[in-house]
Amino acid sequence: MNHARTVDVGGEIPYTIAIGPGLLGDGEALARHVRGRHVLLVSDSVVAPLYAGTVREALHTARPDLAIGTFILPAGEESKTLAHFGHAIEALATLGATRDACVVALGGGVVGDLAGFAAACWMRGVDCVQVPTTLLSMVDSSVGGKTAVDIPQGKNLVGAFHPPRAVFADTDALATLPARELRAGLAEVIKYGAIRDARFFQWLEQERQALLAMDGQALALAIAASCEHKAEIVDRDPLEKGERALLNFGHTFGHAIETEQGYGGLGNDNLNHGEAVAVGMVLAARLSADLGLAPAADADRLETTLRDYGLPTRIPVGLAPERLLARMRLDKKNLAGRLRLVLWRGLGRAEVVPDVDESRVLAVLSG
Ligand code: GLY
């Protein structure tokens, strides 16, 4: 843990996010969060061959008494289903996991969300340690305790709030991350600047080349700054009763795109989550400008930055605006059947806008 930066997340059960190289092999640090004797290591078919052995061995060396089970999902958003959730629960049962068991989620957002949800449900809740291996999961999904699976009607519609006991973001794991996945993670990093920190946004504009070239220091700084923003928000609003909704800037549009195209990502033409959020942020900024809430120049600046980072900024051809709007009506932020969206007053100033006129949304979706 020598070179790790740490970010503390407060709340009822505080925990620490460690960020730095070599954390996957730090068995002492990982094992410190295992209270009992049972560990279920959950990973996917891409990450497990790379890193599951390291984590298993590290845990075993630190705690030879541990019974360590492994559950491997096929890689991809398509696996974030109730059926695979059921298989994870079966793996816990086969392991004989008791109430002091620990689920270790090793992978990206799909693994973290599904493993976290299994931990939330097994025996009404056991510990979960998040070990994110993608930039996107390091800066967003591994922190804050949102866990879920998708159903055909929408993303993350079945889930629970279940904060982790600890998060270990090993920056060495980013070395094997495909460039497209790195850019998807950077979309979520840019989001923090867009919603609450114009100076950070400017830093991201300046450090683009270093970040895209995976400069270790720049990446660690970007991850730590993002986690600090997220920690501050979830500390004050763990259950998304207010401020936490701001983290969903671009997500209502983005989720609609993801659901409408069918969940996909790597290896096909569908947008992955970060890419869909990039498009969604531009749509949210455009809608804000159309509603007179924010300058159009800020929307232009956001779009230019995202494009410079190699991210998409337009809705993929073939997705019908009316169908996207129908998907948006199912968003969890909506209340009493009204569209409630995260928009902005300009760069660094996001806010929740209740009761947005659907015709104005449709106009932006059609634009
Ligand atoms: N990804 C948004 C949140 O954790 O609230």
Side-chain angles (χ1 to χ4, degrees):
M1 298 272 284
N2 287 349
H3 301 102
R5 292 165 188 273
T6 57
V7 175
D8 293 323
V9 188
E12 252 172 61
I13 306 177
Y15 56 97
T16 298
I17 307 163
I19 303 152
L23 297 176
L24 290 177
D26 191 340
E28 295 286 338
L30 290 168
R32 219 168 283 141
H33 302 282
V34 181
R35 291 186 294 129
R37 222 176 54 78
H38 299 109
V39 171
L40 182 68
L41 180 60
V42 180
S43 192
D44 72 26
S45 54
V46 169
V47 175
L50 296 169
Y51 303 121
T54 307
V55 173
R56 263 188 94 93
E57 216 163 286
L59 276 169
H60 184 70
T61 306
R63 284 273 310 272
D65 63 310
L66 288 179
I68 306 175
T70 307
F71 175 67
I72 312 289
L73 288 164
E77 183 81 29
E78 302 89 327
S79 292
K80 220 174 99 176
T81 60
L82 282 168
H84 283 295
F85 162 78
H87 298 321
I89 292 294
E90 280 159 24
L92 282 159
T94 304
L95 186 64
T98 44
R99 274 215 151 130
D100 49 8
C102 181
V103 173
V104 175
L106 172 71
V110 170
V111 167
D113 282 9
L114 186 140
F117 187 39
C121 295
W122 179 249
M123 297 197 171
R124 299 202 181 91
V126 296
D127 293 340
C128 182
V129 169
Q130 293 281 348
V131 187
T133 56
T134 65
L135 181 59
L136 198 137
S137 56
M138 288 178 188
V139 299
D140 184 25
S141 55
S142 66
V143 179
K146 277 190 182 176
T147 72
V149 293
D150 304 330
I151 57 173
Q153 290 83 349
K155 270 176 70 78
N156 299 328
L157 288 182
V158 184
F161 285 101
H162 189 63
R165 303 293 299 191
V167 181
F168 292 90
D170 185 339
T171 48
D172 284 345
L174 298 177
T176 51
L177 197 64
R180 185 174 169 193
E181 291 292 294
L182 176 79
R183 292 195 296 269
L186 288 167
E188 290 279 1
V189 174
I190 292 167
K191 179 194 76 181
Y192 291 105
I195 63 172
R196 69 197 306 262
D197 189 347
R199 280 183 60 191
F200 183 47
F201 188 90
Q202 193 181 356
W203 181 85
L204 290 167
E205 287 174 322
Q206 287 157 1
E207 295 299 318
R208 176 170 51 88
Q209 280 178 346
L211 289 164
L212 287 174
M214 302 193 64
D215 175 86
Q217 282 221 341
L219 273 177
L221 249 163
I223 296 166
S226 301
C227 289
E228 272 160 21
H229 279 299
K230 182 142 188 190
E232 253 180 61
I233 290 177
V234 299
D235 194 353
R236 285 198 290 261
D237 182 21
L239 302 181
E240 198 172 310
K241 297 199 185 299
E243 181 184 8
R244 183 166 181 170
L246 300 182
L247 292 170
N248 291 312
F249 185 61
H251 282 60
T252 306
F253 288 103
H255 282 168
I257 292 170
E258 283 182 275
T259 310
E260 196 51 29
Q261 70 181 2
Y263 306 128
L266 272 187
N268 63 35
D269 290 337
N270 288 351
L271 299 190
N272 63 32
H273 178 66
E275 292 167 340
V277 166
V279 177
M281 288 194 288
V282 173
L283 292 169
R286 292 268 167 245
L287 179 59
S288 305
D290 286 6
L291 293 172
L293 296 173
D298 284 13
D300 294 342
R301 186 170 166 195
L302 177 63
E303 180 165 358
T304 302
T305 304
L306 290 165
R307 196 180 313 117
D308 287 349
Y309 268 90
L311 286 157
T313 57
R314 297 289 158 99
I315 298 171
V317 176
L319 298 187
E322 294 79 8
R323 291 187 59 93
L324 291 171
L325 181 61
R327 297 285 183 189
M328 291 174 72
R329 289 194 190 107
L330 205 58
D331 188 83
K332 294 188 287 308
K333 281 184 300 307
N334 296 337
L335 293 176
R338 309 240 180 239
L339 269 193
R340 205 162 153 260
L341 294 175
V342 184
L343 302 179
W344 74 1
R345 294 267 171 195
L347 197 58
R349 292 184 295 140
E351 70 179 42
V352 176
V353 179
D355 208 2
V356 181
D357 184 343
E358 287 196 358
S359 67
R360 310 293 289 268
V361 179
L362 197 57
V364 167
L365 288 170
S366 310

